[in-house]
Amino acid sequence: MSSLIKNTFLLAAAIGLVISAAGCQSESGTGTLLGAGIGAAIGQAVGGDTESTAIGAGVGGAVGYGVGKHQENQRKQSQTPAQQQNYSPSDSETIEKTVSFENSNGSQSSVTLRYINGKWVGPQGETYSTLPTKAQIKAAYGS
């Protein structure tokens, strides 16, 4: 295969890989796709045959999946329930969450909410179906 055709093919494959990765819904999916593409390119460059390309794609995909899954787990661990808007403990749990926010004068305020019978309940008796955001609490209690 001529060098121009080979380079054109590799460029088209790289562009397709980037476009495909942008559509992935998870870090592990993106990692798998990118890893497989990079591994295939390295396998082709090193071995120059189909077998090397396939081995490179397999190894790269596995490594990419592992890296992506690790990133997903790190992101999930760093999020608190207040950041997960659909967080709802089971109805039998009694949970209190304190939401802190900054007032317009720069002072800090905190509001403690309790999860009772499937709803988050504020100190004034107001209820929320999901754990409210800082903005919602500030609107109700801020100064």
Side-chain angles (χ1 to χ4, degrees):
M1 182 183 299
S2 79
S3 179
L4 177 61
I5 293 172
K6 187 176 180 179
N7 288 340
T8 303
F9 174 75
L10 288 175
L11 178 62
I15 291 170
L17 184 64
V18 170
I19 291 170
S20 296
C24 286
Q25 297 294 317
S26 66
E27 285 95 345
S28 59
T30 301
T32 302
L33 186 61
L34 289 173
I38 292 168
I42 292 171
Q44 179 64 32
V46 171
D49 60 12
T50 304
E51 182 180 358
S52 299
T53 304
I55 291 170
V59 171
V63 170
Y65 174 81
V67 170
K69 194 65 173 172
H70 177 73
Q71 289 174 340
E72 283 177 16
N73 291 338
Q74 292 287 11
R75 182 182 43 81
K76 287 178 184 175
Q77 288 176 359
S78 69
Q79 287 182 332
T80 64
Q83 293 169 318
Q84 300 168 354
Q85 285 305 299
N86 294 327
Y87 173 77
S88 292
S90 69
D91 287 344
S92 62
E93 287 183 85
T94 302
I95 293 182
E96 288 188 353
K97 293 290 179 188
T98 300
V99 179
S100 300
F101 59 91
E102 186 175 325
N103 292 303
S104 57
N105 65 2
S107 65
Q108 293 287 319
S109 292
S110 297
V111 173
T112 300
L113 302 150
R114 295 187 69 207
Y115 188 78
I116 303 170
N117 296 325
K119 302 273 186 198
W120 288 99
V121 181
Q124 297 175 355
E126 77 282 10
T127 61
Y128 305 90
S129 59
T130 60
L131 188 61
T133 64
K134 285 184 179 187
Q136 289 173 304
I137 295 299
K138 184 176 180 179
Y141 293 95
S143 58

